[in-house]
Amino acid sequence: MVSLLSSSTSRRLLALRLFTTGAAAALLFSPLPLRASTGATCPVVPIQSCFTVKMTQSQSPSPPVAKKVEHLMEMFGDKRIDNYYWLRDDSRKSPEVLGYLQKENEYTDYVMSGTKKFEDVLYAEIRGRIQEADVTAPLRKGTYYYYRRTLEGKEYAQHCRRLVPNTASPHSVNDIMPTGPDAPSEHVILDENVKAEGHDYYSIGTFKVSPNHKLVAYAEDTKGDEIYTVYVIDAESGAIIEKPVVGVTGALEWAGNEALVYVTMDETLRPDKVWLHKLGTDQSSDSCLYDEKNNIFSVDVEASESKSFLFVASESKTTRSVSYLDVSKPEDGLHVLTPRIEGIDTSVSHRGNHFIITRRSDEIFNSEILACPLDNTSETTVLIPHRESVKIQAVQLFADHLAIYERENGLPKVTTFRLPAVGEPLKCLEGGQAVEFIDPSYSVDPSDSEFSSSILRFYYSSLRTPLSVYDYDMNTGVSVLKKIKPMHCVEVDIQMRPDVDHVDARLIIVLGGFDASNYVTERKWASASDGTKIPISIVYCKNLVKLDGSDPMLLYGYGSYENMLNPNVFVHHDQICIDPSFKESRLSLLDRGFIFAIAHIRGGGELGRQWYENGKYLKKKNTFTDFIACAEYLIENKYCSKEKLCIEGRSAGGLLIGAVLNMRPDLFTAAVAGVPFVDVLTTMLDPTIPLTTSEWEEWGDPRKEDFYHYMKSYSPVDNVKAQKYPNILVTAGLNDPRVMYSEPAKFVAKLRELKVDDNVLLFKCELGAGHFSKSGRFEKLREDAFTYAFMMKTLNLIPKLESSGKL
């Protein structure tokens, strides 16, 4: 199970496309985006220069063998025996279980030890591409510019601000934060590197500045279990002003300058209560604003862009109701705005004397946007009607504008509308202004913006365009590039050491040398077994691939949870899918002749609500057969061959990988299943496991016989059989609250028991991390290097490290 705890809680937790880069000179352009740079061609390592190093399980010591303890489960007359049920230890302290996990890690280290030097080279190469000392694009809010700074060699960021020299100047897309000797000095509000000292894991899930900019509340997780502690500090001195608030989610908002609203969870980690905390008082005296008793529903809190109201939502996968709290009168408590009606999903914004409501139902499946007066919420006006071919994905409200993030034909769109003056009637909006994009496939995500301005800030990326920040003037239609993530070209010079376990990699870095024109992006369509066309996004280096079936390929997939959200987004109900976006480390594959592709399969929200509906419940197998169809299309059209095809998916995407491995193990050479949700039936039958009850509306409730048998028919653990499987790498996090580590552990144990091949099967469990693995930015790069080394090892593409110093 992998769903985020709630829609905007997920916004703060899921790191799909984390953006931690800094400010750059503004660049005026039209249309957008411009090419990343016109620098030198990146040095590449063609696969022809490689020699083969084939490694099979039989050449290594025997892998760990989990003991078998029969555990019988019976329902609807069907008996299942789980011999590895004992691997589940909710305390995560069992010496026997931890010992087994450690043996798996040691075996993985042993098998990969022969490629450790190459992994080190990959890591040095990947790290060399990024600009370690950098700042994010500053965002002007009130009298300050806020931004994050990363330092050379440091894993974590600093949260910083500077005063705006002339606060009377209007917001502009051409606004640049002064940094010279005469500029206001930088103030570091919080240094995560200091806070992370002594912790194996450290993550700030929420960082909120009070409306008067004097205080900061931040939520801290030091285990990876996503149970946070909230600290309130003085923004200038950094001094903690009161006792921390403990045991909360990442959902946290200011209610004025003297109170916070936060969310706590029940014993299954379901967010169930919303609390009002007055600064200076003990947490035990906090007042409960909302208590959700129905275990299908979770609660959430978010602030309106105007900061005048807080909205408390109670939501399931199909139904969402909203109440509001007037920040100026918190003592009045919550007022119901959109009552709970089964199948109706609503999100709310505020501007002037109106609430703006986004509403979805079975009939209005792609959503509509309504407005209602604050003093007569039953009187609604349709601003944007429902359209069958266009899905409303997100709404961002400003004092004078409305920005809508939409999807049409599988691609994101951004359209802005000018609103009538506050106090004037709101009517159906027409003649919106669209932002233009030129890549064949791309991703666009909302960013935090200043409500009182006319400047819309968003993130843009494509498979060949590094993550970029744009400011868009909704009055003039002018876009300015505020930041593009700096990318360097890297040539690796190898210096061999007598110590066989170590290699020095000297980097020759070409600053700004990345040239997007060296890479080709394509969008193709595969035909599913029922005739449905499935989009595929593709990227490769045009000077390296042959497109004759001999190129290695990595195919990625997900295909679940329509409402996957980005932690940088502060808008309502932004349904982010697995859109094509840039990843620095991926260049280490592309520059070695790999082709990378994303299969936009049913179960995600790429092509609208119905695309999602046709890949869930009793149609879930469409997700898996779509992925297989995409793989077959890529093979048939000479992008790769079975012998050169690797696949990868994480979380619910790990379920995808597990399912297709059971269904078509012959189609792939290597597979990576990251924190995979693979024990579907057993998990969904146990309401004591975190998130189970709220997930019944995603996967189905197997306590009902039709769902039981259908889910059993694809659950990866239940369908492992005596057959040949490709090379497989499975990962897990011991403290993962979304997918228990025991699910991938059982999957691996059963594969070891039944598979009839000598291909490599590795299990890597991070014992000090959760769903998102290690928390440091360089630690994450190391994990990419490990994964890529595994794939290239299984494809027999490990390059030779010569003592002369070249790769």
Side-chain angles (χ1 to χ4, degrees), residues 17 412 437 441-445 459-462 467 579-582:
R17 292 183 283 275
F437 307 101
S441 59
Y442 52 87
S443 65
V444 179
D445 298 332
Y459 299 115
Y460 178 90
S461 179
S462 76
L467 196 56
D579 281 327
S581 60
F582 192 84

Side-chain angles (χ1 to χ4, degrees), residues 31 33 48 97 112 183 228 331 335 337 351 372 393 413 472 536 560 575 601 608 674 676 693 776 782-783 800 807:
Q48 289 80 4
V97 172
M112 294 297 291
Y228 293 89
E331 64 278 1
H335 303 273
L337 178 56
R351 173 214 183 234
C372 68
Q393 180 170 308
K413 296 173 54 179
Y472 177 79
I536 309 172
S560 296
Q575 300 163 353
I601 49 188
T693 56
R782 173 66 75 178
E783 291 173 349
K800 184 177 181 180
L807 193 151

Side-chain angles (χ1 to χ4, degrees), residues 208-211 215-217 232-233 241 252-261 279 303 307 310 327:
K208 298 281 186 177
V209 180
S210 63
L215 301 174
V216 169
V232 180
I233 61 173
I241 69 165
L252 177 70
E253 297 289 354
W254 284 96
N257 295 306
E258 298 179 353
L260 292 167
V261 173
L279 298 187
K307 307 303 180 186
L310 296 185
V327 170

